[in-house]
mmCIF file with all atom_site columns, all heavy atoms in Angstrom:
data_model
loop_
_atom_site.group_PDB
_atom_site.id
_atom_site.type_symbol
_atom_site.label_atom_id
_atom_site.label_alt_id
_atom_site.label_comp_id
_atom_site.label_asym_id
_atom_site.label_entity_id
_atom_site.label_seq_id
_atom_site.pdbx_PDB_ins_code
_atom_site.Cartn_x
_atom_site.Cartn_y
_atom_site.Cartn_z
_atom_site.occupancy
_atom_site.B_iso_or_equiv
_atom_site.pdbx_formal_charge
_atom_site.auth_seq_id
_atom_site.auth_comp_id
_atom_site.auth_asym_id
_atom_site.auth_atom_id
_atom_site.pdbx_PDB_model_num
ATOM 1   N N   . GLU S 1 258 ? 20.706 7.782  96.975  1.00 98.00 ? 1040 GLU S N   1
ATOM 2   C CA  . GLU S 1 258 ? 20.398 8.140  98.356  1.00 98.00 ? 1040 GLU S CA  1
ATOM 3   C C   . GLU S 1 258 ? 19.969 6.902  99.153  1.00 98.00 ? 1040 GLU S C   1
ATOM 4   O O   . GLU S 1 258 ? 20.440 6.661  100.267 1.00 98.00 ? 1040 GLU S O   1
ATOM 5   C CB  . GLU S 1 258 ? 19.233 9.128  98.310  1.00 98.00 ? 1040 GLU S CB  1
ATOM 6   C CG  . GLU S 1 258 ? 19.221 10.197 99.344  1.00 98.00 ? 1040 GLU S CG  1
ATOM 7   C CD  . GLU S 1 258 ? 18.424 11.367 98.774  1.00 98.00 ? 1040 GLU S CD  1
ATOM 8   O OE1 . GLU S 1 258 ? 17.217 11.210 98.512  1.00 98.00 ? 1040 GLU S OE1 1
ATOM 9   O OE2 . GLU S 1 258 ? 19.034 12.427 98.556  1.00 98.00 ? 1040 GLU S OE2 1
ATOM 10  N N   . TRP S 1 259 ? 19.096 6.133  98.539  1.00 98.00 ? 1041 TRP S N   1
ATOM 11  C CA  . TRP S 1 259 ? 18.563 4.969  99.267  1.00 98.00 ? 1041 TRP S CA  1
ATOM 12  C C   . TRP S 1 259 ? 19.574 3.839  99.373  1.00 98.00 ? 1041 TRP S C   1
ATOM 13  O O   . TRP S 1 259 ? 19.526 3.049  100.304 1.00 98.00 ? 1041 TRP S O   1
ATOM 14  C CB  . TRP S 1 259 ? 17.239 4.514  98.637  1.00 98.00 ? 1041 TRP S CB  1
ATOM 15  C CG  . TRP S 1 259 ? 16.105 5.338  99.167  1.00 98.00 ? 1041 TRP S CG  1
ATOM 16  C CD1 . TRP S 1 259 ? 16.160 6.658  99.520  1.00 98.00 ? 1041 TRP S CD1 1
ATOM 17  C CD2 . TRP S 1 259 ? 14.780 4.898  99.456  1.00 98.00 ? 1041 TRP S CD2 1
ATOM 18  N NE1 . TRP S 1 259 ? 14.945 7.067  99.992  1.00 98.00 ? 1041 TRP S NE1 1
ATOM 19  C CE2 . TRP S 1 259 ? 14.067 6.010  99.957  1.00 98.00 ? 1041 TRP S CE2 1
ATOM 20  C CE3 . TRP S 1 259 ? 14.118 3.683  99.320  1.00 98.00 ? 1041 TRP S CE3 1
ATOM 21  C CZ2 . TRP S 1 259 ? 12.730 5.927  100.338 1.00 98.00 ? 1041 TRP S CZ2 1
ATOM 22  C CZ3 . TRP S 1 259 ? 12.774 3.599  99.689  1.00 98.00 ? 1041 TRP S CZ3 1
ATOM 23  C CH2 . TRP S 1 259 ? 12.095 4.709  100.195 1.00 98.00 ? 1041 TRP S CH2 1
ATOM 24  N N   . ILE S 1 260 ? 20.469 3.747  98.401  1.00 98.00 ? 1042 ILE S N   1
ATOM 25  C CA  . ILE S 1 260 ? 21.552 2.755  98.520  1.00 98.00 ? 1042 ILE S CA  1
ATOM 26  C C   . ILE S 1 260 ? 22.384 3.103  99.754  1.00 98.00 ? 1042 ILE S C   1
ATOM 27  O O   . ILE S 1 260 ? 22.678 2.250  100.591 1.00 98.00 ? 1042 ILE S O   1
ATOM 28  C CB  . ILE S 1 260 ? 22.421 2.737  97.238  1.00 98.00 ? 1042 ILE S CB  1
ATOM 29  C CG1 . ILE S 1 260 ? 21.634 2.127  96.070  1.00 98.00 ? 1042 ILE S CG1 1
ATOM 30  C CG2 . ILE S 1 260 ? 23.711 1.962  97.478  1.00 98.00 ? 1042 ILE S CG2 1
ATOM 31  C CD1 . ILE S 1 260 ? 22.261 2.361  94.702  1.00 98.00 ? 1042 ILE S CD1 1
ATOM 32  N N   . LEU S 1 261 ? 22.721 4.387  99.867  1.00 98.00 ? 1043 LEU S N   1
ATOM 33  C CA  . LEU S 1 261 ? 23.497 4.833  101.035 1.00 98.00 ? 1043 LEU S CA  1
ATOM 34  C C   . LEU S 1 261 ? 22.714 4.607  102.325 1.00 98.00 ? 1043 LEU S C   1
ATOM 35  O O   . LEU S 1 261 ? 23.250 4.124  103.318 1.00 98.00 ? 1043 LEU S O   1
ATOM 36  C CB  . LEU S 1 261 ? 23.815 6.328  100.908 1.00 98.00 ? 1043 LEU S CB  1
ATOM 37  C CG  . LEU S 1 261 ? 24.978 6.696  99.999  1.00 98.00 ? 1043 LEU S CG  1
ATOM 38  C CD1 . LEU S 1 261 ? 25.027 8.210  99.822  1.00 98.00 ? 1043 LEU S CD1 1
ATOM 39  C CD2 . LEU S 1 261 ? 26.290 6.200  100.589 1.00 98.00 ? 1043 LEU S CD2 1
ATOM 40  N N   . TRP S 1 262 ? 21.462 4.964  102.297 1.00 98.00 ? 1044 TRP S N   1
ATOM 41  C CA  . TRP S 1 262 ? 20.647 4.882  103.513 1.00 98.00 ? 1044 TRP S CA  1
ATOM 42  C C   . TRP S 1 262 ? 20.441 3.448  103.976 1.00 98.00 ? 1044 TRP S C   1
ATOM 43  O O   . TRP S 1 262 ? 20.118 3.203  105.141 1.00 98.00 ? 1044 TRP S O   1
ATOM 44  C CB  . TRP S 1 262 ? 19.281 5.571  103.294 1.00 98.00 ? 1044 TRP S CB  1
ATOM 45  C CG  . TRP S 1 262 ? 19.392 7.060  103.257 1.00 98.00 ? 1044 TRP S CG  1
ATOM 46  C CD1 . TRP S 1 262 ? 20.541 7.804  103.263 1.00 98.00 ? 1044 TRP S CD1 1
ATOM 47  C CD2 . TRP S 1 262 ? 18.315 8.004  103.227 1.00 98.00 ? 1044 TRP S CD2 1
ATOM 48  N NE1 . TRP S 1 262 ? 20.248 9.148  103.217 1.00 98.00 ? 1044 TRP S NE1 1
ATOM 49  C CE2 . TRP S 1 262 ? 18.888 9.286  103.197 1.00 98.00 ? 1044 TRP S CE2 1
ATOM 50  C CE3 . TRP S 1 262 ? 16.929 7.882  103.192 1.00 98.00 ? 1044 TRP S CE3 1
ATOM 51  C CZ2 . TRP S 1 262 ? 18.120 10.458 103.161 1.00 98.00 ? 1044 TRP S CZ2 1
ATOM 52  C CZ3 . TRP S 1 262 ? 16.154 9.030  103.160 1.00 98.00 ? 1044 TRP S CZ3 1
ATOM 53  C CH2 . TRP S 1 262 ? 16.758 10.315 103.143 1.00 98.00 ? 1044 TRP S CH2 1
ATOM 54  N N   . SER S 1 263 ? 20.588 2.492  103.054 1.00 97.00 ? 1045 SER S N   1
ATOM 55  C CA  . SER S 1 263 ? 20.406 1.093  103.445 1.00 97.00 ? 1045 SER S CA  1
ATOM 56  C C   . SER S 1 263 ? 21.716 0.451  103.905 1.00 97.00 ? 1045 SER S C   1
ATOM 57  O O   . SER S 1 263 ? 21.732 -0.716 104.261 1.00 97.00 ? 1045 SER S O   1
ATOM 58  C CB  . SER S 1 263 ? 19.799 0.294  102.286 1.00 97.00 ? 1045 SER S CB  1
ATOM 59  O OG  . SER S 1 263 ? 20.717 0.240  101.209 1.00 97.00 ? 1045 SER S OG  1
ATOM 60  N N   . THR S 1 264 ? 22.808 1.196  103.904 1.00 97.00 ? 1046 THR S N   1
ATOM 61  C CA  . THR S 1 264 ? 24.087 0.629  104.360 1.00 97.00 ? 1046 THR S CA  1
ATOM 62  C C   . THR S 1 264 ? 24.106 0.509  105.887 1.00 97.00 ? 1046 THR S C   1
ATOM 63  O O   . THR S 1 264 ? 23.349 1.191  106.582 1.00 97.00 ? 1046 THR S O   1
ATOM 64  C CB  . THR S 1 264 ? 25.280 1.516  103.957 1.00 97.00 ? 1046 THR S CB  1
ATOM 65  O OG1 . THR S 1 264 ? 25.081 2.825  104.515 1.00 97.00 ? 1046 THR S OG1 1
ATOM 66  C CG2 . THR S 1 264 ? 25.429 1.644  102.461 1.00 97.00 ? 1046 THR S CG2 1
ATOM 67  N N   . THR S 1 265 ? 24.999 -0.326 106.379 1.00 96.00 ? 1047 THR S N   1
ATOM 68  C CA  . THR S 1 265 ? 25.207 -0.439 107.833 1.00 96.00 ? 1047 THR S CA  1
ATOM 69  C C   . THR S 1 265 ? 25.639 0.908  108.386 1.00 96.00 ? 1047 THR S C   1
ATOM 70  O O   . THR S 1 265 ? 25.253 1.298  109.489 1.00 96.00 ? 1047 THR S O   1
ATOM 71  C CB  . THR S 1 265 ? 26.295 -1.486 108.117 1.00 96.00 ? 1047 THR S CB  1
ATOM 72  O OG1 . THR S 1 265 ? 25.927 -2.688 107.453 1.00 96.00 ? 1047 THR S OG1 1
ATOM 73  C CG2 . THR S 1 265 ? 26.455 -1.731 109.617 1.00 96.00 ? 1047 THR S CG2 1
ATOM 74  N N   . GLU S 1 266 ? 26.419 1.646  107.612 1.00 97.00 ? 1048 GLU S N   1
ATOM 75  C CA  . GLU S 1 266 ? 26.924 2.938  108.074 1.00 97.00 ? 1048 GLU S CA  1
ATOM 76  C C   . GLU S 1 266 ? 25.773 3.906  108.353 1.00 97.00 ? 1048 GLU S C   1
ATOM 77  O O   . GLU S 1 266 ? 25.749 4.575  109.371 1.00 97.00 ? 1048 GLU S O   1
ATOM 78  C CB  . GLU S 1 266 ? 27.889 3.529  107.030 1.00 97.00 ? 1048 GLU S CB  1
ATOM 79  C CG  . GLU S 1 266 ? 29.275 2.900  107.019 1.00 97.00 ? 1048 GLU S CG  1
ATOM 80  C CD  . GLU S 1 266 ? 29.309 1.470  106.472 1.00 97.00 ? 1048 GLU S CD  1
ATOM 81  O OE1 . GLU S 1 266 ? 28.321 1.028  105.839 1.00 97.00 ? 1048 GLU S OE1 1
ATOM 82  O OE2 . GLU S 1 266 ? 30.323 0.784  106.711 1.00 97.00 ? 1048 GLU S OE2 1
ATOM 83  N N   . PHE S 1 267 ? 24.834 3.991  107.463 1.00 98.00 ? 1049 PHE S N   1
ATOM 84  C CA  . PHE S 1 267 ? 23.674 4.866  107.691 1.00 98.00 ? 1049 PHE S CA  1
ATOM 85  C C   . PHE S 1 267 ? 22.623 4.159  108.555 1.00 98.00 ? 1049 PHE S C   1
ATOM 86  O O   . PHE S 1 267 ? 22.158 4.692  109.543 1.00 98.00 ? 1049 PHE S O   1
ATOM 87  C CB  . PHE S 1 267 ? 23.030 5.277  106.353 1.00 98.00 ? 1049 PHE S CB  1
ATOM 88  C CG  . PHE S 1 267 ? 23.551 6.568  105.800 1.00 98.00 ? 1049 PHE S CG  1
ATOM 89  C CD1 . PHE S 1 267 ? 24.697 6.594  105.019 1.00 98.00 ? 1049 PHE S CD1 1
ATOM 90  C CD2 . PHE S 1 267 ? 22.895 7.757  106.057 1.00 98.00 ? 1049 PHE S CD2 1
ATOM 91  C CE1 . PHE S 1 267 ? 25.173 7.786  104.502 1.00 98.00 ? 1049 PHE S CE1 1
ATOM 92  C CE2 . PHE S 1 267 ? 23.371 8.958  105.548 1.00 98.00 ? 1049 PHE S CE2 1
ATOM 93  C CZ  . PHE S 1 267 ? 24.524 8.972  104.771 1.00 98.00 ? 1049 PHE S CZ  1
ATOM 94  N N   . ASN S 1 268 ? 22.228 2.977  108.074 1.00 98.00 ? 1050 ASN S N   1
ATOM 95  C CA  . ASN S 1 268 ? 21.218 2.181  108.781 1.00 98.00 ? 1050 ASN S CA  1
ATOM 96  C C   . ASN S 1 268 ? 19.892 2.936  108.954 1.00 98.00 ? 1050 ASN S C   1
ATOM 97  O O   . ASN S 1 268 ? 19.262 2.866  109.995 1.00 98.00 ? 1050 ASN S O   1
ATOM 98  C CB  . ASN S 1 268 ? 21.770 1.740  110.140 1.00 98.00 ? 1050 ASN S CB  1
ATOM 99  C CG  . ASN S 1 268 ? 21.037 0.511  110.653 1.00 98.00 ? 1050 ASN S CG  1
ATOM 100 O OD1 . ASN S 1 268 ? 20.530 -0.289 109.868 1.00 98.00 ? 1050 ASN S OD1 1
ATOM 101 N ND2 . ASN S 1 268 ? 20.955 0.382  111.970 1.00 98.00 ? 1050 ASN S ND2 1
ATOM 102 N N   . PHE S 1 269 ? 19.499 3.659  107.919 1.00 98.00 ? 1051 PHE S N   1
ATOM 103 C CA  . PHE S 1 269 ? 18.243 4.421  107.961 1.00 98.00 ? 1051 PHE S CA  1
ATOM 104 C C   . PHE S 1 269 ? 17.056 3.605  107.455 1.00 98.00 ? 1051 PHE S C   1
ATOM 105 O O   . PHE S 1 269 ? 15.920 3.890  107.787 1.00 98.00 ? 1051 PHE S O   1
ATOM 106 C CB  . PHE S 1 269 ? 18.333 5.644  107.036 1.00 98.00 ? 1051 PHE S CB  1
ATOM 107 C CG  . PHE S 1 269 ? 19.062 6.828  107.613 1.00 98.00 ? 1051 PHE S CG  1
ATOM 108 C CD1 . PHE S 1 269 ? 19.814 6.741  108.778 1.00 98.00 ? 1051 PHE S CD1 1
ATOM 109 C CD2 . PHE S 1 269 ? 18.984 8.069  106.975 1.00 98.00 ? 1051 PHE S CD2 1
ATOM 110 C CE1 . PHE S 1 269 ? 20.478 7.847  109.289 1.00 98.00 ? 1051 PHE S CE1 1
ATOM 111 C CE2 . PHE S 1 269 ? 19.638 9.178  107.483 1.00 98.00 ? 1051 PHE S CE2 1
ATOM 112 C CZ  . PHE S 1 269 ? 20.387 9.068  108.637 1.00 98.00 ? 1051 PHE S CZ  1
ATOM 113 N N   . LEU S 1 270 ? 17.332 2.659  106.564 1.00 97.00 ? 1052 LEU S N   1
ATOM 114 C CA  . LEU S 1 270 ? 16.242 2.067  105.778 1.00 97.00 ? 1052 LEU S CA  1
ATOM 115 C C   . LEU S 1 270 ? 16.280 0.561  105.782 1.00 97.00 ? 1052 LEU S C   1
ATOM 116 O O   . LEU S 1 270 ? 17.360 -0.040 105.704 1.00 97.00 ? 1052 LEU S O   1
ATOM 117 C CB  . LEU S 1 270 ? 16.420 2.478  104.311 1.00 97.00 ? 1052 LEU S CB  1
ATOM 118 C CG  . LEU S 1 270 ? 15.658 3.644  103.739 1.00 97.00 ? 1052 LEU S CG  1
ATOM 119 C CD1 . LEU S 1 270 ? 15.971 3.733  102.242 1.00 97.00 ? 1052 LEU S CD1 1
ATOM 120 C CD2 . LEU S 1 270 ? 14.160 3.525  103.929 1.00 97.00 ? 1052 LEU S CD2 1
ATOM 121 N N   . GLU S 1 271 ? 15.103 -0.027 105.819 1.00 96.00 ? 1053 GLU S N   1
ATOM 122 C CA  . GLU S 1 271 ? 14.962 -1.468 105.610 1.00 96.00 ? 1053 GLU S CA  1
ATOM 123 C C   . GLU S 1 271 ? 14.320 -1.652 104.237 1.00 96.00 ? 1053 GLU S C   1
ATOM 124 O O   . GLU S 1 271 ? 13.157 -1.286 104.033 1.00 96.00 ? 1053 GLU S O   1
ATOM 125 C CB  . GLU S 1 271 ? 14.061 -2.040 106.711 1.00 96.00 ? 1053 GLU S CB  1
ATOM 126 C CG  . GLU S 1 271 ? 13.816 -3.526 106.636 1.00 96.00 ? 1053 GLU S CG  1
ATOM 127 C CD  . GLU S 1 271 ? 15.047 -4.350 107.003 1.00 96.00 ? 1053 GLU S CD  1
ATOM 128 O OE1 . GLU S 1 271 ? 15.709 -4.011 108.012 1.00 96.00 ? 1053 GLU S OE1 1
ATOM 129 O OE2 . GLU S 1 271 ? 15.359 -5.306 106.271 1.00 96.00 ? 1053 GLU S OE2 1
ATOM 130 N N   . LEU S 1 272 ? 15.081 -2.186 103.283 1.00 96.00 ? 1054 LEU S N   1
ATOM 131 C CA  . LEU S 1 272 ? 14.526 -2.411 101.948 1.00 96.00 ? 1054 LEU S CA  1
ATOM 132 C C   . LEU S 1 272 ? 13.768 -3.731 101.932 1.00 96.00 ? 1054 LEU S C   1
ATOM 133 O O   . LEU S 1 272 ? 14.145 -4.678 102.632 1.00 96.00 ? 1054 LEU S O   1
ATOM 134 C CB  . LEU S 1 272 ? 15.654 -2.440 100.911 1.00 96.00 ? 1054 LEU S CB  1
ATOM 135 C CG  . LEU S 1 272 ? 16.489 -1.166 100.765 1.00 96.00 ? 1054 LEU S CG  1
ATOM 136 C CD1 . LEU S 1 272 ? 17.630 -1.398 99.782  1.00 96.00 ? 1054 LEU S CD1 1
ATOM 137 C CD2 . LEU S 1 272 ? 15.633 0.003  100.302 1.00 96.00 ? 1054 LEU S CD2 1
ATOM 138 N N   . PRO S 1 273 ? 12.713 -3.816 101.125 1.00 94.00 ? 1055 PRO S N   1
ATOM 139 C CA  . PRO S 1 273 ? 11.946 -5.066 101.083 1.00 94.00 ? 1055 PRO S CA  1
ATOM 140 C C   . PRO S 1 273 ? 12.756 -6.193 100.441 1.00 94.00 ? 1055 PRO S C   1
ATOM 141 O O   . PRO S 1 273 ? 13.456 -5.968 99.448  1.00 94.00 ? 1055 PRO S O   1
ATOM 142 C CB  . PRO S 1 273 ? 10.744 -4.703 100.201 1.00 94.00 ? 1055 PRO S CB  1
ATOM 143 C CG  . PRO S 1 273 ? 11.119 -3.458 99.479  1.00 94.00 ? 1055 PRO S CG  1
ATOM 144 C CD  . PRO S 1 273 ? 12.184 -2.762 100.257 1.00 94.00 ? 1055 PRO S CD  1
#
Side-chain angles (χ1 to χ4, degrees):
E1040 214 155 63
W1041 277 34
I1042 290 166
L1043 280 172
W1044 287 7
S1045 66
T1046 58
T1047 307
E1048 283 71 14
F1049 267 86
N1050 202 28
F1051 280 12
L1052 263 184
E1053 180 71 45
L1054 299 175

